[in-house]
Amino acid sequence: MFTYIAVVVGVVWLLTMVLVWNRMGLGKGRRFGNKIAKHLGMDKNFFHTVIDSGVSGPSLQVLAMLEGAGCSLERASIELAPSLERGLIALEARFGRQEMIESAKPVVVRLLKEWAELQEQRGQQ
């Protein structure tokens, strides 16, 4: 009898965790990151690898915070530009020149220019 109750409690706990993960947790950051990757024309797994390598702290939390703040895909991309640059540099240092890294560089350079302009505007206010 005890094992059945333990199994039921375990299943309920697991389902609750899956629900929390998907609705409010890190799964939300993963989905938003996938949207940003598509917006930038990057493979979603590559995008997440770049972000993981360039952001300080949990990347999925950063992505969830950007989505929670109501950032558009373009605005979130611009805000992530320095992290994307650091991620590309780290990946290139680790794996050398790769086609995916080289094709992402122009996108990140464009985002960095927009990020610098945004920082300039913030400084003038």
Side-chain angles (χ1 to χ4, degrees):
M1 179 72 172
F2 176 73
T3 56
Y4 293 120
I5 292 172
V7 169
V8 169
V9 168
V11 168
V12 168
W13 179 83
L14 182 62
L15 290 174
T16 302
M17 292 292 98
V18 168
L19 180 66
V20 168
W21 174 272
N22 284 329
R23 296 289 179 204
M24 300 179 294
L26 302 178
K28 190 175 182 181
R30 179 83 183 177
R31 283 192 306 273
F32 191 57
N34 291 347
K35 290 177 185 177
I36 294 171
K38 185 176 180 182
H39 175 74
L40 297 176
M42 291 184 190
D43 175 76
K44 62 184 178 183
N45 291 325
F46 175 68
F47 172 82
H48 285 287
T49 302
V50 172
I51 285 294
D52 287 342
S53 300
V55 75
S56 55
S59 61
L60 296 180
Q61 228 174 15
V62 170
L63 292 167
M65 284 186 346
L66 287 171
E67 184 179 32
C71 287
S72 67
L73 295 176
E74 184 64 21
R75 179 64 181 257
S77 301
I78 293 167
E79 294 293 341
L80 290 170
S83 297
L84 290 169
E85 180 187 38
R86 284 189 302 271
L88 288 177
I89 290 168
L91 290 176
E92 190 168 42
R94 186 172 184 188
F95 300 110
R97 291 179 62 128
Q98 301 287 324
E99 184 179 332
M100 289 182 95
I101 295 171
E102 294 301 317
S103 66
K105 283 181 180 179
V107 174
V108 173
V109 167
R110 176 187 63 84
L111 292 172
L112 279 169
K113 287 179 184 174
E114 293 181 39
W115 182 82
E117 290 171 5
L118 185 63
Q119 297 307 307
E120 218 174 87
Q121 290 173 0
R122 287 178 179 165
Q124 292 175 357
Q125 292 178 350

